């Protein structure tokens, strides 16, 4: 096979097309040769979701302002996903203006979820992203059980409130979510605004999240994230420590880094300065 | 009222079809009119294991598409009274399983049958979900090794949350674990997981422990559900499993490949009946 030669006279090898495009003046021509300037990674983030019910009501933003005032730390600069499940089918508001008013409240709208085509287009036009479809889990009738399906979050058993109602940072959870069934691989339970109490085993591949503490009165083999709103005082408690990963306020520790003497034991896990500390439960 | 039972696992190759065939035959032998349905569209095996691959004219997908009636597709088993097979298509794929059609077929079968056994494909995608969606009970087939247990756990989560019963907030699917390919020697050497370890991880009632057995391959080669093989330890274990499923209280006997002799076999059978 003949080597192709570009018009600059440099032999680039067999795969170059016969007519190479000359870089325009000012363009960088060594992008492929320079060292790696970024890496693309996948990450799991916990985002506040604002479920829209009456976004056009003139009382919407005042009511939102009140909700934010109840827990200002939690909402400040929070990335927010707009869930359009309840309003899909109705024409969307002016998304750019809506987003601007959210930013006035120091929320950062990042995307739209569960909208129809009109909503999707409005979101894209306003520079928002699209989140994959999801549906909120239904609350089970049994009072003391909240259970999630894969990738879905459970709500606390408290009366429903359109805005998120978190516990202020530093206080223990006011509303505790109690789970009595085993949490299986692929399931994710998020106790919004409070503590999470699990009375059954948590399998490898399962994930627990809470703004407050995470209590597992059984074996913990999955992942547990406490204090996800930034609460460094949150703790994790379990009867048998086999977690794949634990984190408090974002500071995480993987199983491989856990001292062997804690494996299988009844422990409490807390954050002291920037370290994760594990102690035996009394 | 008919009961729909799904035989599922998540992991492939653990013994779902072997179990579906054995279970269906076992239930029919106890006098229950039973049909076993192959949900593994495109990779069908149930007809081979049941020994009816040369009698397949119409299949499950034909019935869903309205190209055939149910009674044209159902194949009567020649050995066991009251046992029927609904094979699936080898040429189509799992997208052909339209849920509306599946519901219609199962609805029709519910009228005539006592038990409807659904042989699920491996995985957690559409085929497996279609097989479990309408189930009343589930047998989660698990091999005594970590990846199988991990996959079974995932499947249990899906059974708990994505079935029609879960969506309608009805009583959840009654789930059981069936351990298959249990090799006593390898377990005692620590190469395979023990029963207690598996149950601790899956936290479900144990339906039975089926020993690793050469007779299983022989059974599939001859197209005979292994439960019909009186000399097979796996077959006997399946009989116990069916018995437990139907409510009998039976001790779990963990054995090696062959019962030691005719007398042992006899003893086992006598003891079992008196339970």
């Amino acid at each position: 096979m003949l080597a192709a030669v570009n018009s600059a006279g440099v032999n680039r090898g067999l795969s170059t097309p016969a007519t190479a495009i000359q870089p325009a003046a000012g363009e960088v021509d060594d992008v492929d040769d320079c060292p790696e300037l970024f890496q693309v990674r996948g990450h799991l983030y916990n985002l506040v979701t604002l479920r829209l019910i009456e976004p056009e009501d003139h009382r919407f933003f005042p009511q939102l302002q009140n909700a934010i005032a109840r827990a200002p730390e939690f909402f400040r600069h929070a990335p927010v996903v707009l869930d359009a499940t309840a309003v899909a089918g109705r024409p969307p508001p002016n998304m750019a203006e809506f987003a601007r008013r959210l930013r006035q409240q120091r929320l950062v709208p990042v995307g739209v979820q569960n909208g129809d085509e009109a909503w999707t287009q409005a979101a894209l036009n306003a520079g928002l992203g699209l989140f994959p479809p999801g549906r909120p889990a239904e609350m089970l009738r049994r009072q003391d059980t909240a259970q999630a399906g894969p990738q879905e979050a459970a709500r606390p058993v408290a009366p429903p409130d359109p805005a998120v109602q978190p516990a202020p940072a530093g206080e223990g959870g006011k509303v505790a979510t109690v789970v009595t069934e085993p949490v299986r691989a692929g399931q994710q339970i998020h106790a919004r605004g409070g503590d999470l109490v699990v009375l059954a085993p948590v399998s490898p591949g399962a994930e627990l999240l809470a703004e407050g503490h995470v209590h597992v009165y059984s074996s913990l083999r999955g992942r547990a994230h406490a204090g996800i709103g930034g609460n460094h005082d949150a703790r994790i408690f379990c009867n048998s420590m086999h977690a794949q990963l634990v984190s408090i306020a974002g500071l995480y520790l993987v199983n491989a880094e856990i001292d062997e003497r804690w494996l299988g034991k009844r422990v409490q896990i807390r954050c002291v300065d920037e370290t994760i500390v594990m102690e035996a439960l009394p | 009222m008919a009961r729909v039972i799904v035989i599922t696992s998540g992991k492939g190759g653990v013994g779902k079809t072997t179990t579906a065939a054995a279970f269906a035959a076992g239930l029919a032998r106890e006098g229950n009119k039973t049909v076993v349905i192959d949900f593994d569209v495109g990779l069908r095996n149930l007809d081979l294991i049941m020994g009816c691959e040369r009698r397949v004219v119409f299949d499950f997908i034909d019935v869903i598409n309205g190209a055939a009636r149910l009674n044209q597709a159902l194949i009567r088993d020649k050995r066991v009274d009251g046992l029927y097979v609904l094979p699936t298509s080898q040429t189509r794929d799992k997208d052909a399983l339209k849920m509306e059609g599946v519901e219609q077929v199962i609805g029709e079968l519910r009228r005539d049958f006592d038990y409807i056994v659904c042989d699920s494909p491996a995985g957690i995608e559409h085929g497996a979900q279609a097989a479990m969606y309408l189930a009343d009970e589930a047998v989660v087939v698990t091999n005594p090794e970590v990846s199988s247990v991990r996959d079974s756990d995932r499947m249990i989560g899906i059974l708990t949350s994505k079935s029609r019963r879960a969506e309608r907030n009805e009583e959840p699917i009654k789930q059981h674990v069936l351990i298959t390919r249990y090799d006593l020697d390898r377990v005692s050497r620590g190469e395979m997981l023990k029963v207690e370890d598996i149950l601790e991880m899956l936290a479900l009632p144990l339906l039975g422990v089926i020993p690793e057995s050469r007779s299983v391959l022989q059974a599939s080669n001859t197209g005979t559900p292994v439960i019909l093989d009186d000399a097979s330890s796996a077959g006997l274990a399946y009989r116990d499993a069916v018995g437990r499923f139907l409510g009998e209280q039976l001790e779990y006997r963990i054995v090696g490949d062959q019962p030691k002799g005719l007398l042992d076999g006899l003893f086992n059978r006598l003891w079992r009946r008196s339970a």
Side-chain angles (χ1 to χ4, degrees), chain A residues 140 147 150 184-185 203 221, chain B residues 153-154 156 160-161 169 200 202:
Chain A
L140 299 185
Q147 189 175 11
R184 304 281 178 184
S203 300
R221 296 176 186 277
Chain B
D153 191 68
R154 183 80 166 90
I156 292 166
T160 311
S161 57
N169 239 325
E200 197 205 320
L202 297 182

Side-chain angles (χ1 to χ4, degrees), chain B residues 29-43:
Chain B
R29 283 222 297 202
E30 299 295 322
N32 302 294
K33 194 172 177 200
T34 307
V35 59
V36 56
I37 310 177
D38 193 349
F39 272 81
D40 203 348
V41 185
L43 290 177

